[in-house]
Amino acid sequence: MDCTLKNIADALIKSYHEVGGINRIDCGNLPSKRKIAAICEQLLRLLFPGYHDEEPVASDELEMVTNERIAELVQQFEVEIAKSLRLRDADTIGDDVRTEAHRMVCTFLSELPRLREVLRTDVVAAYEGDPAAKNFDEITLAYPCIEAIAIQRVAHVLYRMDLPLIPRIMTEWVHSLTGIDIHPGAEIGTHFFIDHGTGVVIGETCVIGNHVKLYHGVTLGARSFPKDENGRVVKGNKRHPNVEDKVTIYPNATVLGGQTTIGKSSTVGANVFLRQSVPAGSFVSNEAEYLRVINKSTGEILHEFSDTPAI
Amino acid sequence: MDCTLKNIADALIKSYHEVGGINRIDCGNLPSKRKIAAICEQLLRLLFPGYHDEEPVASDELEMVTNERIAELVQQFEVEIAKSLRLRDADTIGDDVRTEAHRMVCTFLSELPRLREVLRTDVVAAYEGDPAAKNFDEITLAYPCIEAIAIQRVAHVLYRMDLPLIPRIMTEWVHSLTGIDIHPGAEIGTHFFIDHGTGVVIGETCVIGNHVKLYHGVTLGARSFPKDENGRVVKGNKRHPNVEDKVTIYPNATVLGGQTTIGKSSTVGANVFLRQSVPAGSFVSNEAEYLRVINKSTGEILHEFSDTPAI
Amino acid sequence: MDCTLKNIADALIKSYHEVGGINRIDCGNLPSKRKIAAICEQLLRLLFPGYHDEEPVASDELEMVTNERIAELVQQFEVEIAKSLRLRDADTIGDDVRTEAHRMVCTFLSELPRLREVLRTDVVAAYEGDPAAKNFDEITLAYPCIEAIAIQRVAHVLYRMDLPLIPRIMTEWVHSLTGIDIHPGAEIGTHFFIDHGTGVVIGETCVIGNHVKLYHGVTLGARSFPKDENGRVVKGNKRHPNVEDKVTIYPNATVLGGQTTIGKSSTVGANVFLRQSVPAGSFVSNEAEYLRVINKSTGEILHEFSDTPAI
């Protein structure tokens, strides 16, 4: 190594000693993003057998294949969960952590059959809600919303078990793949469909009912945050909306605030910016969205109209 | 395997038997997402030789390299197309499917020279439309819109050949990479440019002319859908807009409906929400988009103005 | 190879000879996207040691590990930089290019300690700005904005060294992962935070101060471009806004133009479309954003209100 590179390395090592907070040296390892990504892919194979597999799955091999997959998943996931638990409780000694990690992975895996029932309702909702959907196979295999909601439902189980870091790594993995950013904390009912998906943001304390349909670019977010006496945002309170059963929210609408409830069977129009509750059966639209059409050559105004959607 | 894991596996196997619609067991395999992704990458190398290659391509090796690539691609693609054809016609026996798959892959590959001519116009359009574009190399190598439109044009050929599933897997692959969601069914003319791209949605029955330029976040979508007597959305009709030659649509505009036509040489402003046709040469903008500027300390209104773009 | 495939290959080779501009045959190789992606991942490991590693990093191995990583990175990066330099100056002979590439990679790596100081301020800004952020580890490991800004800050150093292509390949790599599209040319101060991120676009000539916070879907873009006498867009002038210290811009706001300055400590509301400067301490919102709430059954107007945010 030439002396320039040696100087560069020395400067960087000096920086590792001086610039804290973004190093992890001499401490327990963090869960690995790549391993969590591999675990997410294994979970998708377990949840939707035959869709993410290279080879066909035959019924006379199903038991063997499933047992093998679970054994493999448990082995890998325990290691990552143990790393995560050491972050939560630094004093816990090694053996206990591994036992607790095993217990957690078993509790988590026991939830998969229930999640499969819910995910089936999501596939049904996509089929019924999208005129372009040809069949269940296309949806289960290719629709980004199915990956996004499957991983969020998995991450939500781990979030409720108070496991640090891993749930968020999971949802950010699928956010990267799909452009759909659902916090692991969000509570989401059955028959949930997100069409297209890119740009959707669903915050940590959202509560979403059954048969809810969102389009791309919808934000269910927080209003500006209360700050404490040091000017820091207060963490942990209810900050994101409630969306009741059978609500549809059109592209790029923004609904904000922990006290905001969209009542049952309501529709929120495209581009609406809403921070107040609306009762059941409402249709919310931008009233004053007047459009002007001008002839580019003459400057003549051809047409002015409000393109507010009809109910 | 300990008894807890055995119980977990048994519960999951039970779920595979009871929760239908999201399993594929004991039936022909589906096209593999990963194999289709690899095929898309091979197609990008064939379409843009030298851009996606690890080693330089020399002219005296060009014939050999191209022959090898086509042979390899045909072999892999035939397998996936055969899987897809078995979904379309379950009664077709194995040998016929393979013959038909070979015929389809040959027909498809015969289109590549024509697609290259069109893709060259897309690169030209990017160079002419983006002041930040330094040269053709930068565009061909790094611009997400080139990947997105190349794969959509490829998928559209397969869509017109009535091949199930694979076209959509292809466009969702590139949607995941680029945030650009163009349905394989959309018909798109020459010199097509999408700047930035994230959040663009172009629906199945869109018809787009030549020299069209879109910015990020533009939706060319469907209005609310007619439903049949069972309350299900009707599939298959013309649902998405027509965009004529030389139209520019600015960021986050939304144009909806199968009867909506944006006339030749028109411009649609940022954030416009439009569900009606406009004639050739139109400039469409939000008329009533008044902005208010307040001094945060005093509450004084400094300025109120409409920032409607000039023509 | 059967004769059909031979015909297909011949047609494609003919196209390589006839359709220019999207081939690179018989010329120096371009930087490889995959190699640049691998280099970006190595840089993230060097910038945030312990976060992107499979194994824990111990302090008594830190010197050895860092030296090894730098040696490996230099070797790989030199090759790609040399390819890139040959594009800039085709006449430069091979040996000189390699020397220049080595010099550039050393200059670049000398900047890493300074970048680490700035990136630490970005992690602090995320922690202070997001109520959902649990701790620094979660942000450094999982937040997409940290990857996006780390790679943009790295690419900006190379952009200022006038290295072609590689900076843009880097930012498009992270754009694909995060949905955040920041041009390598943008100048960005300390304590920069982008929440959620999908759909953010920041143009080449933006100048952004310290303590700036953006939400998803924010565009800092160009107005329509001046064209030269041939009708081509003029390249290279100042086209994108200035955003001064302590500005917050809410989701899906669009700020355009090289002469537009958002004054210090201002706030720009969600969905605002702004092409004029505003003074320090401003709050900018859509004044006329009236919402209409209708009862879907009766058609009765329940409520009309402006949901313009309070200061």
Side-chain angles (χ1 to χ4, degrees), chain A residues 2-16:
Chain A
D2 69 31
C3 67
T4 315
L5 296 189
K6 181 74 187 119
N7 290 343
I8 288 167
D10 288 347
L12 208 46
I13 292 161
K14 185 157 170 284
S15 153
Y16 294 158

PDB file of all heavy atoms in Angstrom, chain A residues 2-16:
ATOM      1  N   ASP A   2       0.615   2.151  -0.934  1.00  0.00           N
ATOM      2  CA  ASP A   2       1.488   3.334  -0.974  1.00  0.00           C
ATOM      3  C   ASP A   2       1.141   4.287   0.169  1.00  0.00           C
ATOM      4  O   ASP A   2       0.126   4.165   0.841  1.00  0.00           O
ATOM      5  CB  ASP A   2       1.442   4.015  -2.354  1.00  0.00           C
ATOM      6  CG  ASP A   2       0.112   4.673  -2.659  1.00  0.00           C
ATOM      7  OD1 ASP A   2      -0.564   5.136  -1.721  1.00  0.00           O
ATOM      8  OD2 ASP A   2      -0.241   4.715  -3.843  1.00  0.00           O
ATOM      9  N   CYS A   3       2.051   5.262   0.380  1.00  0.00           N
ATOM     10  CA  CYS A   3       1.908   6.065   1.596  1.00  0.00           C
ATOM     11  C   CYS A   3       0.651   6.935   1.548  1.00  0.00           C
ATOM     12  O   CYS A   3       0.057   7.241   2.567  1.00  0.00           O
ATOM     13  CB  CYS A   3       3.154   6.908   1.822  1.00  0.00           C
ATOM     14  SG  CYS A   3       3.354   8.158   0.564  1.00  0.00           S
ATOM     15  N   THR A   4       0.218   7.326   0.342  1.00  0.00           N
ATOM     16  CA  THR A   4      -1.008   8.113   0.261  1.00  0.00           C
ATOM     17  C   THR A   4      -2.201   7.318   0.803  1.00  0.00           C
ATOM     18  O   THR A   4      -2.994   7.822   1.597  1.00  0.00           O
ATOM     19  CB  THR A   4      -1.293   8.493  -1.209  1.00  0.00           C
ATOM     20  OG1 THR A   4      -0.094   8.930  -1.808  1.00  0.00           O
ATOM     21  CG2 THR A   4      -2.346   9.574  -1.279  1.00  0.00           C
ATOM     22  N   LEU A   5      -2.299   6.076   0.366  1.00  0.00           N
ATOM     23  CA  LEU A   5      -3.420   5.261   0.840  1.00  0.00           C
ATOM     24  C   LEU A   5      -3.323   5.032   2.347  1.00  0.00           C
ATOM     25  O   LEU A   5      -4.342   5.015   3.039  1.00  0.00           O
ATOM     26  CB  LEU A   5      -3.456   3.927   0.101  1.00  0.00           C
ATOM     27  CG  LEU A   5      -3.721   4.018  -1.404  1.00  0.00           C
ATOM     28  CD1 LEU A   5      -3.962   2.627  -1.977  1.00  0.00           C
ATOM     29  CD2 LEU A   5      -4.895   4.915  -1.722  1.00  0.00           C
ATOM     30  N   LYS A   6      -2.113   4.875   2.832  1.00  0.00           N
ATOM     31  CA  LYS A   6      -1.937   4.723   4.283  1.00  0.00           C
ATOM     32  C   LYS A   6      -2.453   5.971   5.003  1.00  0.00           C
ATOM     33  O   LYS A   6      -3.152   5.866   6.016  1.00  0.00           O
ATOM     34  CB  LYS A   6      -0.439   4.501   4.569  1.00  0.00           C
ATOM     35  CG  LYS A   6      -0.086   4.295   6.024  1.00  0.00           C
ATOM     36  CD  LYS A   6      -0.517   2.912   6.491  1.00  0.00           C
ATOM     37  CE  LYS A   6      -0.315   2.742   8.004  1.00  0.00           C
ATOM     38  NZ  LYS A   6      -1.560   2.473   8.707  1.00  0.00           N
ATOM     39  N   ASN A   7      -2.138   7.142   4.463  1.00  0.00           N
ATOM     40  CA  ASN A   7      -2.640   8.374   5.083  1.00  0.00           C
ATOM     41  C   ASN A   7      -4.165   8.440   5.055  1.00  0.00           C
ATOM     42  O   ASN A   7      -4.799   8.887   6.007  1.00  0.00           O
ATOM     43  CB  ASN A   7      -2.090   9.607   4.343  1.00  0.00           C
ATOM     44  CG  ASN A   7      -0.608   9.779   4.595  1.00  0.00           C
ATOM     45  OD1 ASN A   7      -0.065   9.197   5.537  1.00  0.00           O
ATOM     46  ND2 ASN A   7       0.040  10.562   3.730  1.00  0.00           N
ATOM     47  N   ILE A   8      -4.719   8.018   3.939  1.00  0.00           N
ATOM     48  CA  ILE A   8      -6.184   8.023   3.812  1.00  0.00           C
ATOM     49  C   ILE A   8      -6.804   7.103   4.859  1.00  0.00           C
ATOM     50  O   ILE A   8      -7.756   7.482   5.556  1.00  0.00           O
ATOM     51  CB  ILE A   8      -6.590   7.585   2.387  1.00  0.00           C
ATOM     52  CG1 ILE A   8      -6.259   8.704   1.393  1.00  0.00           C
ATOM     53  CG2 ILE A   8      -8.061   7.219   2.317  1.00  0.00           C
ATOM     54  CD1 ILE A   8      -6.329   8.284  -0.060  1.00  0.00           C
ATOM     55  N   ALA A   9      -6.251   5.909   4.982  1.00  0.00           N
ATOM     56  CA  ALA A   9      -6.785   4.957   5.966  1.00  0.00           C
ATOM     57  C   ALA A   9      -6.655   5.524   7.376  1.00  0.00           C
ATOM     58  O   ALA A   9      -7.592   5.442   8.181  1.00  0.00           O
ATOM     59  CB  ALA A   9      -6.068   3.616   5.851  1.00  0.00           C
ATOM     60  N   ASP A  10      -5.508   6.119   7.664  1.00  0.00           N
ATOM     61  CA  ASP A  10      -5.313   6.675   9.010  1.00  0.00           C
ATOM     62  C   ASP A  10      -6.317   7.785   9.314  1.00  0.00           C
ATOM     63  O   ASP A  10      -6.846   7.866  10.425  1.00  0.00           O
ATOM     64  CB  ASP A  10      -3.882   7.213   9.163  1.00  0.00           C
ATOM     65  CG  ASP A  10      -2.867   6.072   9.243  1.00  0.00           C
ATOM     66  OD1 ASP A  10      -3.297   4.907   9.421  1.00  0.00           O
ATOM     67  OD2 ASP A  10      -1.666   6.347   9.112  1.00  0.00           O
ATOM     68  N   ALA A  11      -6.567   8.623   8.332  1.00  0.00           N
ATOM     69  CA  ALA A  11      -7.531   9.711   8.541  1.00  0.00           C
ATOM     70  C   ALA A  11      -8.926   9.156   8.792  1.00  0.00           C
ATOM     71  O   ALA A  11      -9.687   9.663   9.627  1.00  0.00           O
ATOM     72  CB  ALA A  11      -7.537  10.643   7.321  1.00  0.00           C
ATOM     73  N   LEU A  12      -9.239   8.088   8.099  1.00  0.00           N
ATOM     74  CA  LEU A  12     -10.559   7.487   8.267  1.00  0.00           C
ATOM     75  C   LEU A  12     -10.674   6.821   9.635  1.00  0.00           C
ATOM     76  O   LEU A  12     -11.697   6.951  10.329  1.00  0.00           O
ATOM     77  CB  LEU A  12     -10.775   6.476   7.132  1.00  0.00           C
ATOM     78  CG  LEU A  12     -12.188   6.178   6.669  1.00  0.00           C
ATOM     79  CD1 LEU A  12     -13.021   7.433   6.458  1.00  0.00           C
ATOM     80  CD2 LEU A  12     -12.119   5.396   5.363  1.00  0.00           C
ATOM     81  N   ILE A  13      -9.625   6.124  10.046  1.00  0.00           N
ATOM     82  CA  ILE A  13      -9.641   5.483  11.373  1.00  0.00           C
ATOM     83  C   ILE A  13      -9.761   6.548  12.464  1.00  0.00           C
ATOM     84  O   ILE A  13     -10.511   6.385  13.429  1.00  0.00           O
ATOM     85  CB  ILE A  13      -8.375   4.614  11.561  1.00  0.00           C
ATOM     86  CG1 ILE A  13      -8.443   3.411  10.604  1.00  0.00           C
ATOM     87  CG2 ILE A  13      -8.236   4.141  13.002  1.00  0.00           C
ATOM     88  CD1 ILE A  13      -7.118   2.741  10.347  1.00  0.00           C
ATOM     89  N   LYS A  14      -9.029   7.649  12.294  1.00  0.00           N
ATOM     90  CA  LYS A  14      -9.154   8.775  13.234  1.00  0.00           C
ATOM     91  C   LYS A  14     -10.614   9.237  13.289  1.00  0.00           C
ATOM     92  O   LYS A  14     -11.165   9.486  14.362  1.00  0.00           O
ATOM     93  CB  LYS A  14      -8.234   9.909  12.761  1.00  0.00           C
ATOM     94  CG  LYS A  14      -8.151  11.113  13.671  1.00  0.00           C
ATOM     95  CD  LYS A  14      -6.840  11.887  13.419  1.00  0.00           C
ATOM     96  CE  LYS A  14      -6.819  13.236  14.139  1.00  0.00           C
ATOM     97  NZ  LYS A  14      -7.643  14.260  13.476  1.00  0.00           N
ATOM     98  N   SER A  15     -11.243   9.337  12.119  1.00  0.00           N
ATOM     99  CA  SER A  15     -12.647   9.752  12.062  1.00  0.00           C
ATOM    100  C   SER A  15     -13.544   8.753  12.795  1.00  0.00           C
ATOM    101  O   SER A  15     -14.499   9.136  13.471  1.00  0.00           O
ATOM    102  CB  SER A  15     -13.078   9.916  10.596  1.00  0.00           C
ATOM    103  OG  SER A  15     -14.454   9.710  10.443  1.00  0.00           O
ATOM    104  N   TYR A  16     -13.227   7.441  12.670  1.00  0.00           N
ATOM    105  CA  TYR A  16     -14.038   6.450  13.389  1.00  0.00           C
ATOM    106  C   TYR A  16     -13.954   6.669  14.898  1.00  0.00           C
ATOM    107  O   TYR A  16     -14.906   6.408  15.624  1.00  0.00           O
ATOM    108  CB  TYR A  16     -13.569   5.027  13.069  1.00  0.00           C
ATOM    109  CG  TYR A  16     -13.780   4.600  11.626  1.00  0.00           C
ATOM    110  CD1 TYR A  16     -13.037   3.568  11.071  1.00  0.00           C
ATOM    111  CD2 TYR A  16     -14.731   5.214  10.812  1.00  0.00           C
ATOM    112  CE1 TYR A  16     -13.220   3.159   9.757  1.00  0.00           C
ATOM    113  CE2 TYR A  16     -14.913   4.820   9.499  1.00  0.00           C
ATOM    114  CZ  TYR A  16     -14.152   3.791   8.977  1.00  0.00           C
ATOM    115  OH  TYR A  16     -14.338   3.395   7.681  1.00  0.00           O
TER     116      TYR A  16
END
